[in-house]
Structure formats: C-alpha cells, structure tokens
Amino acid sequence: MVTVATDTIELSEQQRLVRESIRDICSEFDDEYWREKDRAGEYPHEFVTTLGDHGWLGVLVPEEYGGAGMGTAEVVVMMEEIAASGGGFAAAQAIHGGIYNSVPIVRHGSEELKEQLLPDVAAGDVAIQSLGLTEPNAGSDSTSIETVADKHDDEYVINGQKIWTSRVDASDYLLVVARTTPKSEVEKRTRGISMFLVDVQDALEAETLEMKAIPKTASNAVHAYELWFDDLHVPAGNLVGERGNGFYHLLDGLNEERLVIAAECLGLGELAIQSGVDYANERVVFDRPIGQNQAIQHPLAKAYAEVQAAKQLTYNAATIVEGESGAAVGAQANMAKYLAAEAAFAAADAAVQTHGGFGVAREYDVERYFREARLTRLVPITQELVLNYIGENVLGLPRSY
C-alpha cells in the first residue's frame, strides 16, 4: 500500500504533539466503526467520550478553568486528523459544536457562568454541543430570526422555532439565539439579538421544548433537529454576554471557526484521495492496475494538488487569525473554507469514479465521503455567500445581497 503524503506543513512542537495524540485516539476507531455509525444513523458516543476523557473537548477552554488553553493553530491540526482518520466530516462534526459553543461563554459569559460550566466542559462531563440559530424563514439572513425572548422579572421567556440544529440529542446545554428587541425597533438589523444558555433536559421535562429529527442523507451519525420553544423559561443569569449584542458575540471567533471547518474539509479530501489511490493500485483490469491509466491518475493527482493548495492557505491563516482582525483575515478564512470544500468534493468525486461501480457500494466508504463532501459546500456557509464576501470586502464590488 502506498501512503499518500499528508504531513506537508511545517508544524510547531505543540501542533506535532496534538497530531500524534489525536492519531493515537483515532486509531482505536476503524473504518468499520464509522461505516456502521453512518449506516445505523447512530451518534458516535464512544468516540466523543474518549476525546472528552482526554480533555480534547476543552481544547479552547482557558487553563484557569481546567482546559488546554490552546488556539486555532492546534484545533486545525486536531480536526484535520479526525476527518482524515476514517471518520470523515461526520467525525469532526460530531465534536465541532462541543468545542466551539464554549467560545461565546469564554469570551462573553459572566464569571459565574464560566466557573459553573467551563471546568465540566473541559473535563468532558458537560456538553454544549448545539447552537440554535437557523430558522425556516431566516437561513443565511440571521438578523431576520423570529424567535423572541421576553424579559419577565429575573428570567427570559423564549418562543419560536429553529431548524437544522445539530447534536441536541448529545448535548446537555443548547445555545439559543433570539431577538430581545424587534428588528423594526433597532437602528441596525444586527442589534437587538441576544444569546441564551438552555438546559436541554429541563426544557424537555417542562414540555417547553419540542424536537423532531430531520431525515438527511449526509453525516447520518450526527443528527439535526427542528425545534419549537413554547414559553421556555430561562434564568436571566443564562444570558450569554450583553443583551442585544448576541449577533456580535456570534461573529467574534467566526474566522477561527471557519478555518477549522476548512481543516475538516482537508482531512476528508485526504481520506478520499488515499482510498482512491489504494483501489487504483489494487484493482486490475486488462492485466494491469487501473492506476496505470491516466484517466484514473489525473483526477486523483489534480485533487491532491487542490487539497494541498487549500491546506497551505488554511494553515497560513491559522497562524495569524488570533493576532489580527479585519477584512484581510476574514478574506483568508473565507477563501480557505471555499477552496477546501471545493477540493474535498473533487477528491471524493475522483475516488468514487476510480472505484467504478463499487463507488456506490457502502463497503468501500467513498460514497459516504462523497455525500459528506457535497455537504461541505453548503455548511456552515454556502460557497455563494463566501464569494459574495470576497466580492464585496476584497474586490470592492457593490453589496450583492
């Protein structure tokens, strides 16, 4: 077997330690584990629990609260390795929320909220896996959300609906974004939005939260839900950050998270290319391995080049994103996500084509990679919206949306 080179970036000592530690953990979960999770639509609890036991769900939690106190440069390595290990985009997405939903609390939560939650998050004992933002009438236009939170004495009462809210079934807490001031009453549409921490079990027991799974065809092991809030009571102390500034709290850290999504796409692309190369070397047709044919070689080689190009941009941006801000960093983060998603899709498509008819057979996994790669072009931001961002903020063209 030929091992396709993926260690192509010069890493810091800390990044190398992260890579080796994550590889050791992922080696405990083989292809059959991920194949079965996808087939059965089962959340990978064993995998997530193992990562949590080793402290990886607290990778972004400051050391003073028991976390690892690492940053984007380390998480990029971590998530690329997880995806490339065999689990693909679904494996990375199984814990993505658990890592990044702690960031608003770290940066904007009250000290009481931090002390109450973050040590348990860092220890893997408490999960904040879900973010309720998207709504049926407000997809990419997040400022048009209709879920409302009204203040009553020392609590807020939330009413509304969310859709495409992932991992609620694997989460102790849910971050809910709601309007505390109507859009018609604010000077800027980004104002008047707030963020709340909701205890999922308490809400279910009080019958103020209803959830329904959304059947889908990609990342089957990570479930998405439609949610309804009916007079859901939340203590005022569960307001995360400042009332009315929740939209800005969401944006804070967006570039870092987008780079990590790019890394997850890279790992998926590397996984697909390795699968394609393996099959191309093993499969013999007309008395020769099919990998000897340029029709097989060229798509895989092109995909590899594209993955490596996206990887250079992603890792370069990860080294500067936390020390800088502004349109330049935003452009790099968005371009990295765009290029990595396109590269992952090309890699998965080439892997399926290399396998011929077996490309759609579940036993070879590449059909799963293809389904997941298609999803990366939609989430967490569509490719078209990335191009809108670049057109407006980099090229100076008129706003198109």
Side-chain angles (χ1 to χ4, degrees), residues 291-327:
Q292 191 172 342
N293 302 317
Q294 290 182 348
I296 298 297
Q297 284 188 18
H298 287 182
L300 291 170
K302 182 172 182 286
Y304 180 77
E306 291 170 348
V307 167
Q308 290 305 310
K311 188 167 183 173
Q312 293 289 335
L313 177 59
T314 300
Y315 274 77
N316 178 70
T319 63
I320 65 171
V321 68
E322 292 177 350
E324 299 184 25
S325 60

Side-chain angles (χ1 to χ4, degrees), residues 254-331:
L254 191 64
N255 290 332
E256 293 98 315
E257 185 175 10
R258 206 148 285 175
L259 286 171
V260 172
I261 291 287
E264 296 169 15
C265 295
L266 296 175
L268 175 60
E270 290 168 340
L271 177 62
I273 291 168
Q274 182 68 64
S275 297
V277 168
D278 289 345
Y279 191 80
N281 280 322
E282 296 168 2
R283 176 66 167 161
V284 175
V285 178
F286 299 119
D287 300 321
R288 55 193 274 172
I290 62 173
Q292 191 172 342
N293 302 317
Q294 290 182 348
I296 298 297
Q297 284 188 18
H298 287 182
L300 291 170
K302 182 172 182 286
Y304 180 77
E306 291 170 348
V307 167
Q308 290 305 310
K311 188 167 183 173
Q312 293 289 335
L313 177 59
T314 300
Y315 274 77
N316 178 70
T319 63
I320 65 171
V321 68
E322 292 177 350
E324 299 184 25
S325 60
V329 175

